[in-house]
Amino acid sequence: MRKGQHRFVAGFLLFPVALYLIFVIWPYIQTFGYSLTDWKGQSQSFDFVGLDNYTALFKDDVFMGAIWHNILFLVFIPVITILLALFFAFMLNAGGRGRSGGVSGVAGSKYYRVIYFFPQVLSLAILAVLFGAVYRSDGGGMLNGALIKLGLVDSQNPVEWLNEPNVVLWALMAVVVWHGVGFYLVLFSAAMQSIPRDIYEAALIDGASRTQSFFRITLPLLWDSVQTAWVYLGIAAMDMFILVSTMTAGDYGGGPDHHSEVMSTVMMRNFLLYGRSGYACAMGVVMLLLTLIVSVVMLRATRRERIEF
């Protein structure tokens, strides 16, 4: 680097780095400090309690159940979303045949991209309202209404989608998957368009089927995009606050009887309702550590040799 450039780069980075330290790193440090106290959240008077809050966390059945629910989201949401997005992206980019015998997307693929991406333009708050109507527990709900019309559900005993302990988590997962597939479809489609068509055409000439082309060509060349999607979806699965707090019963959600509880809803309830702010900060620190661990594990687990083309 030429003389003087060090000072220029340092001066250019000084302001954004300072903002990052003040508004991102410092709140994390403060949260960890408060997690070691019995802070009530309404004043700055508190006593140091050491690791008592963390000890209490692992004896808290509600919080431990919330961790289990986040783990279920972490397992199913990324897998289902990525598989659906990969399938649709492959069909829209290499699922058809051109008039000259080459490879192209299915007919109308440009319009399908818009349709699939549309849920992504809706905010999670709007999604909560929308699917609140879909999951209504009477015949006026879209899902129950359809099942009643088909004769699969008794009109006098409709499904309580958001009040059934064994159903509520899957209902919430369906919303997240429906919302996320379109975004990752566009992400994978952009990556697929950079793959030379000659590779697919050569595979077809050699007798490769669509399934073989997907697993032998598309998936290996898209692995970097899949890895990125996996990390982002994993982080989203560790949150889930907006949907759970707005769609399920109880203060800040979590109903019925804590069967849809996630770590963020337990944390907010302790912070805002119960006045146990120091305890809630300990939950926030645990959430941060678990999210970092999940991100590192996913990056390590999905790491593979980069394929050039």
Side-chain angles (χ1 to χ4, degrees):
M1 189 175 289
R2 290 178 303 191
K3 184 178 180 181
Q5 282 188 332
H6 290 288
R7 267 184 273 180
F8 173 76
V9 173
F12 185 77
L13 293 177
L14 181 62
F15 184 67
V17 170
L19 289 178
Y20 185 80
L21 291 173
I22 293 172
F23 293 106
V24 178
I25 301 301
W26 179 241
Y28 283 134
I29 296 173
Q30 282 186 309
T31 300
F32 178 72
Y34 284 130
S35 73
L36 303 176
T37 69
D38 63 353
W39 182 43
K40 306 300 181 185
Q42 299 177 351
S43 68
Q44 291 299 316
S45 59
F46 47 79
D47 295 320
F48 181 78
V49 297
L51 298 177
D52 288 354
N53 287 327
Y54 293 95
T55 302
L57 278 181
F58 295 101
K59 298 178 181 178
D60 188 336
D61 293 336
V62 174
F63 186 70
M64 296 306 294
I67 292 179
W68 172 244
H69 296 157
N70 276 112
I71 291 174
L72 290 178
F73 287 137
L74 181 63
V75 171
F76 289 101
I77 288 176
V79 172
I80 297 172
T81 303
I82 289 174
L83 287 178
L84 288 175
L86 280 172
F87 171 75
F88 289 131
F90 181 75
M91 295 303 295
L92 294 181
N93 288 274
R97 287 182 182 270
R99 294 181 180 178
S100 59
V103 175
S104 65
V106 296
S109 58
K110 294 181 181 179
Y111 304 103
Y112 288 134
R113 285 191 182 94
V114 176
I115 293 171
Y116 288 138
F117 187 76
F118 178 73
Q120 190 62 36
V121 305
L122 303 176
S123 69
L124 289 175
I126 294 175
L127 280 184
V129 175
L130 176 64
F131 276 88
V134 172
Y135 289 141
R136 273 182 56 178
S137 57
D138 55 27
M142 191 184 78
L143 195 51
N144 272 326
L147 293 175
I148 290 171
K149 290 292 185 182
L150 294 172
L152 300 176
V153 171
D154 183 6
S155 61
Q156 301 301 318
N157 190 27
V159 180
E160 298 274 351
W161 298 103
L162 297 177
N163 291 312
E164 285 285 344
N166 296 325
V167 176
V168 60
L169 290 180
W170 300 104
L172 293 170
M173 285 185 202
V175 178
V176 179
V177 171
W178 185 83
H179 180 250
V181 165
F183 175 80
Y184 292 102
L185 180 150
V186 172
L187 175 68
F188 297 149
S189 292
M192 285 182 189
Q193 289 172 4
S194 66
I195 301 175
R197 297 290 178 185
D198 297 345
I199 298 177
Y200 288 112
E201 292 171 1
L204 289 176
I205 292 173
D206 290 339
S209 65
R210 296 293 181 185
T211 303
Q212 290 173 325
S213 297
F214 176 79
F215 286 104
R216 298 292 181 87
I217 299 174
T218 304
L219 188 57
L221 294 178
L222 291 184
W223 196 253
D224 288 344
S225 298
V226 172
Q227 184 185 52
T228 302
W230 208 289
V231 172
Y232 276 108
L233 285 166
I235 293 172
M238 295 297 288
D239 182 11
M240 294 291 295
F241 174 75
I242 294 178
L243 287 181
V244 174
S245 63
T246 53
M247 292 185 66
T248 58
D251 294 321
Y252 297 100
D257 194 24
H258 303 297
H259 280 88
S260 64
E261 206 78 73
V262 291
M263 289 185 287
S264 54
T265 57
V266 181
M267 180 184 70
M268 292 303 294
R269 194 178 301 112
N270 278 273
F271 190 89
L272 296 177
L273 293 181
Y274 302 158
R276 304 177 65 190
S277 300
Y279 187 58
C281 287
M283 294 182 184
V285 173
V286 171
M287 286 179 60
L288 171 64
L289 293 176
L290 290 177
T291 304
L292 289 175
I293 292 171
V294 166
S295 299
V296 171
V297 169
M298 285 185 170
L299 287 172
R300 292 282 185 180
T302 58
R303 186 174 59 180
R304 58 185 295 172
E305 184 178 351
R306 186 182 180 87
I307 298 176
E308 302 288 345
F309 57 92

